Amino acid sequence: MATVDAVETPAAEPDEDGPPVHVDVPELTKVLDGPYAEVRADVRKELARHAEVLEQAETLSRDEFRERVKDVIVEIAESGQAGLGFPAEYGGGADIGASIAAFETMGFGDLSVLVKMGVQFGLFGGAILHLGTKRHHDRYLADLIKGKLLGCFAMTETGHGSNVQALGTVATYDQGSDEFVIDTTTAAATKDYIGNAARHARVAVVFAQLDVGGERHGVHALVVPIRDEQGEVLPGVEISDDGLKMGLNGVDNGRISFQGVRVPRDALLDRFATVSEDGTYSSEIENPSRRFFTMLGTLVQGRTCVGAAGISAAKVALTIAVEYGDRRRQFEATSDDEEERLLDYGQHQRRLLPLVARTYALSFAQEVLTSRLHDVFSGITTDEVSRRHLESRAAGTKALATWHATRTIQECREACGGAGYLAVNRFTALKADTDVFTTFEGDNTVLLQLVAKGLLTDYASDFSDLDQLGMVRFVAGLAVDTVLEKTAVHKLLERVKDVLPGIEGGEQDTGVLDPEYHLAMFRFREEHQLGGVARRLKRGVDSGMNPGEVFSRVQDHVIAAARSHVERLVLEAFVERVQELPEGELRDVLNAVCDLHALSSIEADRAWFMEHGRLSSQRSKAISREVGALCRRLRPVAVDLVAAFGVPRQVLRSPDLLSWGENTDG
Amino acid sequence: MATVDAVETPAAEPDEDGPPVHVDVPELTKVLDGPYAEVRADVRKELARHAEVLEQAETLSRDEFRERVKDVIVEIAESGQAGLGFPAEYGGGADIGASIAAFETMGFGDLSVLVKMGVQFGLFGGAILHLGTKRHHDRYLADLIKGKLLGCFAMTETGHGSNVQALGTVATYDQGSDEFVIDTTTAAATKDYIGNAARHARVAVVFAQLDVGGERHGVHALVVPIRDEQGEVLPGVEISDDGLKMGLNGVDNGRISFQGVRVPRDALLDRFATVSEDGTYSSEIENPSRRFFTMLGTLVQGRTCVGAAGISAAKVALTIAVEYGDRRRQFEATSDDEEERLLDYGQHQRRLLPLVARTYALSFAQEVLTSRLHDVFSGITTDEVSRRHLESRAAGTKALATWHATRTIQECREACGGAGYLAVNRFTALKADTDVFTTFEGDNTVLLQLVAKGLLTDYASDFSDLDQLGMVRFVAGLAVDTVLEKTAVHKLLERVKDVLPGIEGGEQDTGVLDPEYHLAMFRFREEHQLGGVARRLKRGVDSGMNPGEVFSRVQDHVIAAARSHVERLVLEAFVERVQELPEGELRDVLNAVCDLHALSSIEADRAWFMEHGRLSSQRSKAISREVGALCRRLRPVAVDLVAAFGVPRQVLRSPDLLSWGENTDG
C-alpha cells in the first residue's frame, strides 16, 4: 500500500466562509436589470401577455405557428417595444441600449418570436438604418418599425456563411437602364437559411458582389423586392423553404435565388459607397476590405442580441432546475426517515451553482457591452478604436454566452431527470431553439478568431482587411517584441505587475478569495497566451512553413487566447459591478457569487495555470475545495439567486416541477 | 516584457509520427463488428429497408408516427431479429450476445423504433424472462416475441425514479380471493414515463411493494393486464399520456395508476420469491435488500443496450460531420485561390478526431461488455462476483457512452454550422432522441455512484444492500488499510508497479506513445482516487459529521473515482483488442487511434495528474502537442475511420452535406 500511504493527507474540508448569506430578491433584480429596469419590466408584462405562444409552439402546425409568431411580432411592434432602437422621426424610441435590453428580456419567452423580431428589426431594419441613407430611411423605416413591411437579411449563401467576402451573388450595374441586375451565379450562391424568406418577407436586403462597368468592388447591400403586396413571389425570384429545423420553427427560413432581377440604382444602400448615374463608383473608404468590414460592422448589434438571448435562455433553465433541485427529494442521506433534497447533494450544487455564478458574470458583461454599443451607435463615442473594441467585445461575448447557454440548458435538463424531457417543462424548446445560437450571426470559433486578430494587430485599421492568413503574415513580418508592443498585451502586463508583484515568484501570498488575485490570474493567462501565439506564428513562418499550415497548427492556441481575453473582460465587468455596490448584505452575496465564478473558471483551466507555473498543485487543490465551500455557502440562497433573474412565472411553465412537494407527496 | 520573455521557448511542433497511414475499410469494419458481424449485416439491411421512418418522424402527426413505429416493430419482430435473446422453444434465437449486437446496430436508425423495441423486448420481455418462471414464459413469451402481445415495464413513479426501493405502489395479497390487489397509494406513486403505456401495451409488469398478511417484503414485480383485446383501458386502471417530449415521440410514454386492481396470485413473477395459497411468503434470498438488488440485476441488459445505442448514435453523427468536414471548404488558408477544407484546420481536427478515437474505444469496451453479459445470462459464467462486475461495468459503460453521445452529437452539429440545424441532416433527431439516454435506465450520476459502491465494498454480496449512506457507514467502520485491502484497489496497484516501476520517482522514462504508460496512468488515477475517497469518508465520519453530509461533500470525488475506473476498463478493452490484431497496417492505424484516445483523455484530466505528481508541466505540454500531431497523422484517413463504422448510407440522410462539392461548387 506504499503508494497510497505516501500520498499527502488532504487538508480538512474547508468550512463555509463568512456569515450566513441572505438575499433581498427585488434589490438584486434591480442590480441585474441595470439602467433599463423600466423597459425590462414592460417586456416582462408583454411576455406574460403572450405566454400562450410557448404552448402553441407545440400544439399548432408549423404553418399555423409561423403565422401566429408573425402576428405576435406585429402586436409587439404596435406596442412600440420593437422600435426602441430606431430614430424618433420614424416612430422609434431613439434608445439603442434600451432596445438591446428589451431584446435580452424577450429571451425569456418563445425564441421563435425573439429570432423573428431579430430578423425584422435587428438585421433587416438595422441594415436599412445603418447601411442606407435618408432616402431609404424615409422609404422603409416607419413601415418596418410598425411591422407593416416585413423584410429579410439575405447575406448567407449555401456556399458561404463565415467567409462573407467570398459571396457568389452578383449585382451588375446596367447603365442603359440605370438599374442593378441581381444574379445568383451558381447553386452555391443561393441565399440560404434566410429568416422571414420562406413566407413573410416582401423585401430583402441582398448582399452581392457589386459589378460596375466590369469592375468588381466587393460585397454591397441592395434592397430587392421579392414578393408583391399579395405575397406572390416576384418574377426572377425563386424561393424555397429550408424545411423543418431543430428548433425555431416559428421562423420561416428559406432559400432565395435571383435570375436577372432588376432594381433601380437607388436600391443600393449607399451610406458607405455610391454609384452615380454615369456608372462611377465612389466611396469614402478607399480600401475595399476595410469598406467591407465597416459594412459588416453593423452585424455587431445582431451578435450582441444573440449573446443576450443566450444568457436569458440560460436564466430560464437555471430558474427551473434550481427551484426543482430545492424541492425534489431522492434517497435518504442525512436523515433515515426523509429523503434528501437534490440541492443538498454536493454534486448537484457543483453542477448548478457555478453555472448560476457564470450567468451572473455574463449578465454584467452583457450590460457593459450594451452600454458600449449604445455609446458607439448613438454617436456618443465616435473614435474608430472604440468601434473596433466594441466589435471584438460583441463577437467574444456572443461566443462565450451562447456556449454557456448550450451547456447550462443541457446540465439543467439532466438535473431534472426524465421530467426535464417532457416538453411542458421548457427544456425541449430551450435546447432546440438555442442550439443554433453557437453558429449563427457568426460561428463562435470564427468569432474568436476575429477577437484574436484584433488583439494581435491592436485593432489597427490598416490591418482590418486581413483575414487569418493575412494576420499570420503580418505577425510574422515583425519581431516578436514588436508584436507584443504593438498589441494589447503589454498594457495588460503592466496591470498584472502592479497588482501582484510577487506573481513571478511561484506561489502567491494573496488569498484565493481576493478578486485582485482572480483578475491577475486571468490577465496573466491572456497576456501569456497572446505572446505565445505571436511567437508560434512567427517561428512557423520563419521556418519556411506555408502560412496557412502555420495557422492551422496554432489555431487552437489562437482560439484559447481569444477566449482568455473575453474571460478577462467578463470577470472585470463582474468585479467592477460588485465594487460599485454599497457595503452590505447584497454586496456580500454578490462577492461570493463572483468568487465562485472566478474560482470555478480557474479550476476549469487549472491545468494551464499549473503548466505555466502559476499554480502549485497544493493551491490548485485548495481552489477546488474552495469552490465546494462556496457552493455550500450559497446553497441556502440558491433559489433567491435565480428568483432575482426575474423570469416571469408564466413563461416558466413546468407546472409539476415548480410545485413539487405541494401536489405530490414524494 | 520580462514575464513574456522569461517563459520557456516551446519545443518545435512535433512531426507526425511514423509512416503514412492507410485503411482497408471493410477489414476495419470486420474488427469493429466483432463476433456478431452476420447479425449486424442483417440489421443493416433491415435499417435500409425501413429508412423512410426517419423522414416519417417529421412528416407524420404524433399519433400517426406512433402507429407507424409500432408497425415497424411488429415487422421487425416477424423477421426474428427482435427475439434473438429469447429461448428457442418460444421462437427466440437463444443468443443474448447477438441480441445486444442487433440492438446496437439498430441504433443507427430511428431511435423511437429502437426505444420501443427496447421497451417491448428488453424491459417487458426481459422482466417476464428473468423474473418470471415457466408458467409466465409459457403464457407470454411466444406472443411477445412475435409482437402480438405488447407490454410495458412499469417501474418508475412520478416520485421515485432513481430510488426504486422507495416506490409507493402496493400489491396486497388478499387470501380470501387468492389475489393481489394493486394500488397507487399517492399521486407521487403514479407510474410515470412508462413507454408503451399511453397507447399500445395490453399488459404491464408492475413493480410494487409486496404486502402479505400486513407484512411488507419490498419491491416485487407482477403482470397486470391494463387493456383489453380492443385496446380499451380496464376498470380500476387509469392511463394518461405524458404528452410531447423532446424526442422519441414515436414512443407512447404514459402514466398509469391503479385503484384496487385485482390479479391472480400467479401474476407474481416468482423466480426469486413466491407467495403460497395460505399467504406464506418465501424466497431463496433471505436479505430483503439483496433480493431487491438481485431482481434489479435484470436492468443490466437495458443499461447495456442504452449505452450501445448511444455509441451508435455518435457514429452516425461523426460519419456525417467528418465526411462534410472533408468536403466543405471555407476561407483561403494554404492556397490563395482555393478555400481550405474544414478538416485541414487544426481546430476542426481537434474537435472531431479525438471523438472518433473515443468512439472506437467505447465500441471495443461495449464488445467486452456484451460478451460478459452473454456469458452471465447464458449461464456460461455463474459466479456471483462476475455478475456483480457485470452490473457495475454495464452501469459505468452506459454512463460514459451516453455522455459521450450527447457531447459528440453536439460537437458534430456545430461542426456542420447552420446546415446541421436543418432536420434533414439528422442532428435534430439525434440530439432530441438521445438526450434522455443520460438519465433513463438509471441516471448517469447515480449509476457512477453504484460503480463506486461496488469498488469500495469489493462487490461483496453482504454489502449489496447498502445504499450510499450504508456505504459511508461501512467504509467508516473499517481501518483505511482494511478498506483498501478489501477493495479492488490493491490489485490494480500491483499492476501499476509491475509495469512502471519508476512511477513513484516523478517523471517517467516511458515514451508518451507507449500503451503501457497510458494504462499505468489510468490505473494510478483510479487507485489513487478510490483510496482518497475511502480516506475522506472515514475521516468525515470519524470527525462526528453526519454520514449523509459526509457523502454529500465527498460525492464529486466518489463519482470521479468511478469514472476513472470505467475509463480504465475502456482503455484496457481498446489496448487488448489492438494487441490481438496481426501485425500490419490495420493494427498500426488502430494503434494510432488508441494513442489518440488515451492521450486526449490524459490531456483532458491533465490537471489531476499534475496535482498528483504524475505529470510535469513539460510532459503535460508534450502530451498536448502529441494529440495535435496524432490528429494530423490521422487526418488523411479520417473519412475511412468513420466509413468503417458501417452506417448504412440510407439512414445518414443529409443529402446536401454528403454530396458537398458535387452538386454545389462552393
Side-chain angles (χ1 to χ4, degrees):
Chain A
M1 295 291 96
T3 302
V4 172
D5 289 341
V7 168
E8 77 291 343
T9 304
E13 314 296 326
D15 274 331
E16 289 75 303
D17 258 283
V21 281
H22 166 263
V23 173
D24 180 332
V25 174
E27 276 305 307
L28 184 51
T29 301
K30 273 191 206 160
V31 173
L32 281 164
D33 278 0
Y36 300 106
E38 213 170 305
V39 168
R40 292 184 199 264
D42 288 347
V43 174
R44 286 188 177 107
K45 281 181 211 143
E46 196 74 16
L47 284 172
R49 200 159 74 84
H50 290 297
E52 79 290 346
V53 184
L54 294 161
E55 201 179 328
Q56 287 165 339
E58 293 157 19
T59 54
L60 298 181
S61 72
R62 186 148 51 107
D63 281 346
E64 290 165 344
F65 186 53
R66 285 175 168 187
E67 293 306 311
R68 178 72 188 113
V69 168
K70 187 201 72 184
D71 293 345
V72 172
I73 303 279
V74 173
E75 282 175 47
I76 293 174
E78 284 163 1
S79 80
Q81 282 173 13
L84 287 171
F86 292 94
E89 64 253 54
Y90 302 106
D95 188 338
I96 291 166
S99 78
I100 307 283
F103 192 87
E104 180 175 340
T105 311
M106 290 281 305
F108 293 150
D110 178 80
L111 297 175
S112 285
V113 170
L114 185 87
V115 168
K116 199 164 171 101
M117 284 194 58
V119 167
Q120 167 71 14
F121 304 104
L123 294 176
F124 169 58
I128 301 283
L129 179 65
H130 299 300
L131 300 180
T133 49
K134 184 158 190 309
R135 155 181 55 207
H136 306 106
H137 299 171
D138 290 348
R139 203 178 289 161
Y140 302 114
L141 284 186
D143 278 358
L144 85 79
I145 291 171
K146 285 198 205 82
K148 281 188 189 169
L149 175 71
L150 299 182
C152 63
F153 183 83
M155 178 182 274
T156 296
E157 297 176 353
T158 309
H160 288 99
S162 294
N163 188 5
V164 176
Q165 222 161 350
L167 291 178
T169 304
V170 176
T172 310
Y173 180 61
D174 172 15
Q175 203 183 332
S177 62
D178 198 24
E179 292 171 324
F180 287 104
V181 188
I182 318 289
D183 281 294
T184 301
T185 53
T186 65
T190 305
K191 296 295 176 185
D192 208 343
Y193 316 108
I194 310 299
N196 259 359
R199 189 63 69 97
H200 295 129
R202 273 188 20 232
V203 298
V205 171
V206 176
F207 288 80
Q209 305 289 351
L210 199 70
D211 186 311
V212 184
E215 199 183 336
R216 288 285 170 97
H217 295 281
V219 171
H220 291 65
L222 305 94
V223 184
V224 183
I226 57 172
R227 286 191 175 85
D228 64 17
E229 301 266 339
Q230 285 69 48
E232 296 299 319
V233 175
L234 292 171
V237 179
E238 206 175 303
I239 299 181
S240 64
D241 200 307
D242 269 320
L244 187 72
K245 292 165 294 173
M246 189 178 295
L248 299 177
N249 281 301
V251 183
D252 50 320
N253 291 74
R255 302 185 176 101
I256 318 176
S257 61
F258 304 93
Q259 300 307 327
V261 173
R262 288 174 169 270
V263 292
R265 184 165 48 89
D266 68 3
L268 181 70
L269 293 172
D270 58 352
R271 174 158 166 206
F272 298 110
T274 56
V275 174
S276 68
E277 206 172 339
D278 66 354
T280 309
Y281 175 89
S282 60
S283 170
E284 282 176 24
I285 309 170
E286 278 191 29
N287 181 318
S289 282
R290 196 176 155 208
R291 191 189 311 134
F292 170 75
F293 280 105
T294 305
M295 291 186 196
L296 241 59
T298 58
L299 288 176
V300 69
Q301 221 165 322
R303 287 175 185 158
T304 303
C305 284
V306 171
I311 296 168
S312 293
K315 287 176 177 172
V316 174
L318 284 167
T319 303
I320 298 167
V322 169
E323 277 204 34
Y324 179 65
D326 184 59
R327 289 170 164 272
R328 176 72 197 255
R329 295 169 182 275
Q330 198 80 169
F331 287 114
E332 291 81 13
T334 49
S335 154
D336 273 333
D337 50 11
E338 190 174 40
E339 288 183 292
E340 191 84 349
R341 291 175 195 267
L342 296 186
L343 209 50
D344 287 328
Y345 286 105
Q347 174 75 2
H348 213 76
Q349 294 166 10
R350 269 248 172 204
R351 78 197 291 192
L352 293 180
L353 299 186
L355 295 174
V356 171
R358 190 171 176 80
T359 303
Y360 269 81
L362 286 164
S363 273
F364 294 123
Q366 183 70 29
E367 188 184 318
V368 173
L369 171 60
T370 299
S371 134
R372 300 279 165 88
L373 184 135
H374 180 85
D375 290 353
V376 165
F377 278 76
S378 308
I380 297 167
T381 313
T382 54
D383 63 302
E384 184 72 10
V385 170
S386 295
R387 176 177 276 272
R388 289 181 185 281
H389 279 186
L390 169 66
E391 284 167 16
S392 172
R393 188 183 275 265
T397 308
K398 185 268 185 187
L400 262 57
T402 56
W403 271 325
H404 174 68
T406 298
R407 179 177 151 220
T408 299
I409 295 165
Q410 182 65 34
E411 201 64 54
C412 290
R413 196 303 279 166
E414 293 184 27
C416 292
Y421 200 61
L422 303 185
V424 71
N425 295 328
R426 284 226 56 190
F427 296 107
T428 295
L430 283 171
K431 267 195 71 167
D433 291 344
T434 59
D435 184 80
V436 77
F437 287 9
T438 52
T439 49
F440 81 175
E441 298 280 326
D443 177 278
N444 282 358
T445 303
V446 176
L447 290 180
L448 288 179
Q449 287 172 198
L450 192 76
V451 170
K453 193 185 81 173
L455 290 167
L456 285 165
T457 60
D458 202 18
Y459 308 98
S461 55
D462 290 356
F463 309 112
S464 63
D465 55 338
L466 300 176
D467 59 7
Q468 58 220 21
L469 199 56
M471 176 187 79
V472 176
R473 289 185 178 129
F474 165 70
V475 171
L478 300 173
V480 166
D481 279 357
T482 317
V483 174
L484 298 180
E485 272 161 37
K486 268 193 105 63
T487 66
V489 171
H490 67 288
K491 296 164 205 157
L492 262 182
L493 192 59
E494 288 310 310
R495 299 191 64 183
V496 175
K497 282 181 169 172
D498 288 352
V499 165
L500 211 56
I503 200 167
E504 293 181 72
E507 200 63 294
Q508 295 80 34
D509 299 326
T510 336
V512 290
L513 292 179
D514 185 340
E516 291 304 320
Y517 167 65
H518 306 157
L519 286 168
M521 290 286 274
F522 276 52
R523 286 171 185 149
F524 173 81
R525 178 176 58 178
E526 174 183 357
E527 169 272 317
H528 192 287
Q529 290 182 340
L530 272 171
V533 166
R535 215 177 297 275
R536 286 182 68 192
L537 290 177
K538 192 168 163 48
R539 193 177 51 235
V541 176
D542 286 354
S543 75
M545 202 185 276
N546 177 313
E549 178 70 22
V550 173
F551 175 77
S552 171
R553 292 197 175 202
V554 182
Q555 192 181 16
D556 56 344
H557 199 156
V558 168
I559 289 164
R563 193 192 276 260
S564 295
H565 169 70
V566 190
E567 289 284 357
R568 191 257 301 172
L569 295 180
V570 169
L571 181 61
E572 280 182 353
F574 199 168
V575 170
E576 282 166 19
R577 192 73 187 80
V578 173
Q579 287 173 349
E580 283 165 22
L581 293 175
E583 302 259 343
E585 278 183 336
L586 199 60
R587 179 168 162 168
D588 291 344
V589 170
L590 277 179
N591 244 328
V593 176
C594 189
D595 288 343
L596 178 57
H597 165 66
L599 289 181
S600 54
S601 299
I602 293 172
E603 185 191 30
D605 207 15
R606 68 196 195 281
W608 188 90
F609 288 107
M610 283 189 277
E611 283 172 349
H612 296 84
R614 290 273 69 81
L615 265 187
S616 68
S617 58
Q618 287 310 314
R619 195 170 174 94
S620 176
K621 289 187 216 169
I623 284 175
S624 287
R625 285 193 298 272
E626 200 58 57
V627 168
L630 281 165
C631 284
R632 288 193 295 279
R633 185 165 176 230
L634 288 170
R635 184 301 164 234
V637 293
V639 170
D640 294 339
L641 289 175
V642 296
F645 292 149
V647 182
R649 300 303 289 181
Q650 293 90 334
V651 303
L652 290 176
R653 303 184 72 197
S654 314
D656 295 334
L657 299 187
L658 299 179
S659 69
W660 193 271
E662 291 169 18
N663 305 326
T664 49
D665 43 9
Chain B
M1 294 293 95
T3 303
V4 172
D5 289 341
V7 167
E8 77 293 342
T9 305
E13 313 297 327
D15 274 332
E16 290 75 304
D17 258 282
V21 280
H22 167 262
V23 173
D24 180 333
V25 174
E27 277 304 307
L28 184 51
T29 301
K30 272 192 208 161
V31 174
L32 281 164
D33 279 0
Y36 299 107
E38 212 171 305
V39 168
R40 292 184 199 265
D42 288 347
V43 174
R44 286 188 176 107
K45 281 181 211 143
E46 196 74 15
L47 285 172
R49 199 159 75 85
H50 290 296
E52 79 290 347
V53 184
L54 293 162
E55 200 179 328
Q56 287 165 338
E58 293 157 20
T59 54
L60 298 180
S61 72
R62 186 147 52 105
D63 281 347
E64 290 164 346
F65 186 53
R66 284 174 169 187
E67 294 305 311
R68 177 73 188 113
V69 168
K70 187 201 71 183
D71 293 344
V72 173
I73 303 277
V74 173
E75 282 174 48
I76 294 174
E78 284 163 2
S79 81
Q81 282 172 14
L84 287 172
F86 291 94
E89 63 254 52
Y90 302 106
D95 187 339
I96 291 166
S99 79
I100 306 283
F103 192 86
E104 179 175 340
T105 311
M106 290 281 305
F108 292 150
D110 178 80
L111 297 175
S112 285
V113 170
L114 185 86
V115 168
K116 200 168 171 96
M117 283 194 58
V119 167
Q120 167 71 14
F121 304 104
L123 294 176
F124 169 58
I128 300 283
L129 179 65
H130 299 301
L131 300 181
T133 48
K134 184 158 189 309
R135 151 180 58 204
H136 306 106
H137 299 171
D138 290 347
R139 203 177 291 162
Y140 302 115
L141 284 186
D143 278 358
L144 86 79
I145 290 171
K146 286 197 205 82
K148 281 188 190 169
L149 174 72
L150 298 183
C152 63
F153 183 83
M155 177 183 273
T156 296
E157 298 177 354
T158 309
H160 288 98
S162 294
N163 189 4
V164 175
Q165 222 161 351
L167 291 178
T169 304
V170 176
T172 310
Y173 181 61
D174 172 14
Q175 203 185 331
S177 62
D178 197 24
E179 291 171 325
F180 286 104
V181 187
I182 318 288
D183 282 295
T184 301
T185 53
T186 65
T190 305
K191 295 296 175 185
D192 207 344
Y193 316 108
I194 309 298
N196 258 358
R199 188 64 70 97
H200 295 130
R202 272 184 25 228
V203 298
V205 171
V206 176
F207 289 81
Q209 304 288 351
L210 200 71
D211 186 311
V212 183
E215 198 183 337
R216 287 285 170 96
H217 295 279
V219 172
H220 291 66
L222 304 94
V223 184
V224 183
I226 56 173
R227 287 191 174 86
D228 65 18
E229 301 265 341
Q230 284 70 46
E232 296 299 318
V233 175
L234 293 171
V237 179
E238 207 174 304
I239 299 181
S240 64
D241 199 307
D242 269 319
L244 187 72
K245 292 165 294 172
M246 188 177 295
L248 299 177
N249 280 302
V251 183
D252 52 320
N253 292 74
R255 302 186 176 100
I256 318 176
S257 61
F258 303 93
Q259 301 307 327
V261 173
R262 289 175 170 270
V263 291
R265 184 165 49 89
D266 68 3
L268 180 70
L269 293 172
D270 58 353
R271 174 158 166 206
F272 297 109
T274 55
V275 173
S276 67
E277 207 172 337
D278 65 355
T280 309
Y281 174 90
S282 59
S283 169
E284 283 177 23
I285 309 171
E286 278 192 30
N287 181 319
S289 283
R290 197 177 154 205
R291 190 189 311 134
F292 169 74
F293 280 105
T294 304
M295 290 186 196
L296 241 59
T298 58
L299 288 175
V300 70
Q301 220 165 324
R303 287 175 184 158
T304 302
C305 284
V306 171
I311 296 168
S312 293
K315 288 177 177 172
V316 174
L318 284 167
T319 303
I320 298 167
V322 169
E323 277 204 35
Y324 180 65
D326 184 59
R327 287 170 165 272
R328 176 71 197 257
R329 295 169 182 276
Q330 198 80 167
F331 288 113
E332 291 80 14
T334 50
S335 154
D336 273 333
D337 50 12
E338 191 175 38
E339 290 183 291
E340 189 86 347
R341 290 173 196 268
L342 296 186
L343 209 50
D344 287 328
Y345 286 105
Q347 175 75 2
H348 213 77
Q349 293 166 11
R350 269 246 172 208
R351 77 197 291 190
L352 294 179
L353 298 187
L355 295 174
V356 171
R358 190 171 176 79
T359 304
Y360 269 81
L362 287 164
S363 273
F364 293 124
Q366 183 71 31
E367 187 184 319
V368 172
L369 172 60
T370 299
S371 134
R372 300 278 166 87
L373 184 136
H374 179 85
D375 290 352
V376 166
F377 278 76
S378 308
I380 298 168
T381 314
T382 53
D383 63 304
E384 185 71 9
V385 171
S386 295
R387 176 177 276 270
R388 289 183 183 279
H389 279 188
L390 168 67
E391 285 167 16
S392 172
R393 187 184 275 265
T397 308
K398 185 267 185 186
L400 262 56
T402 55
W403 271 325
H404 174 68
T406 299
R407 176 175 153 223
T408 299
I409 295 165
Q410 182 66 34
E411 202 64 54
C412 290
R413 197 304 279 166
E414 293 184 28
C416 292
Y421 200 62
L422 303 185
V424 72
N425 295 328
R426 286 227 54 190
F427 296 107
T428 296
L430 283 171
K431 267 194 70 166
D433 290 344
T434 59
D435 185 79
V436 77
F437 287 10
T438 52
T439 49
F440 81 176
E441 298 281 325
D443 177 277
N444 282 357
T445 303
V446 176
L447 290 180
L448 288 179
Q449 287 171 198
L450 192 75
V451 171
K453 193 185 81 172
L455 290 167
L456 285 165
T457 60
D458 202 18
Y459 308 98
S461 55
D462 290 358
F463 308 112
S464 63
D465 56 338
L466 300 176
D467 59 8
Q468 58 220 20
L469 199 56
M471 176 186 77
V472 176
R473 289 185 179 131
F474 165 69
V475 171
L478 300 173
V480 166
D481 279 357
T482 316
V483 174
L484 298 180
E485 273 161 38
K486 268 193 104 63
T487 66
V489 170
H490 67 289
K491 296 165 204 156
L492 261 183
L493 192 59
E494 289 309 310
R495 300 191 63 182
V496 175
K497 282 182 171 173
D498 288 352
V499 165
L500 210 56
I503 200 166
E504 293 181 74
E507 200 64 296
Q508 294 81 34
D509 298 328
T510 337
V512 291
L513 292 178
D514 185 340
E516 291 304 320
Y517 167 64
H518 306 157
L519 286 168
M521 289 287 273
F522 276 53
R523 287 172 184 148
F524 173 81
R525 177 176 59 178
E526 173 183 356
E527 169 271 316
H528 192 287
Q529 290 182 341
L530 273 171
V533 166
R535 215 177 297 275
R536 287 182 69 192
L537 290 176
K538 189 166 165 50
R539 192 177 53 235
V541 176
D542 285 355
S543 74
M545 201 186 277
N546 177 310
E549 178 70 22
V550 173
F551 175 76
S552 171
R553 293 198 175 201
V554 183
Q555 192 181 13
D556 55 344
H557 200 156
V558 168
I559 289 165
R563 194 192 276 261
S564 295
H565 169 70
V566 189
E567 288 285 356
R568 192 257 301 172
L569 295 180
V570 169
L571 180 62
E572 281 182 352
F574 199 167
V575 170
E576 282 165 18
R577 192 73 186 79
V578 173
Q579 287 172 351
E580 282 166 23
L581 293 176
E583 302 261 343
E585 278 184 335
L586 199 61
R587 179 166 161 168
D588 291 344
V589 170
L590 277 179
N591 243 329
V593 176
C594 189
D595 287 343
L596 178 57
H597 165 66
L599 288 181
S600 54
S601 299
I602 293 173
E603 185 191 31
D605 208 14
R606 67 196 195 282
W608 188 90
F609 288 108
M610 282 189 278
E611 283 171 350
H612 296 83
R614 290 273 70 79
L615 265 187
S616 69
S617 58
Q618 287 310 317
R619 194 170 174 95
S620 176
K621 289 187 214 170
I623 284 175
S624 287
R625 284 193 299 271
E626 199 58 57
V627 169
L630 282 165
C631 285
R632 288 194 294 280
R633 183 165 177 229
L634 289 169
R635 155 69 187 101
V637 293
V639 170
D640 293 339
L641 289 176
V642 296
F645 292 149
V647 182
R649 300 304 289 182
Q650 293 91 332
V651 304
L652 289 176
R653 302 184 73 195
S654 314
D656 295 335
L657 299 187
L658 298 179
S659 67
W660 193 272
E662 291 169 18
N663 305 325
T664 49
D665 43 10

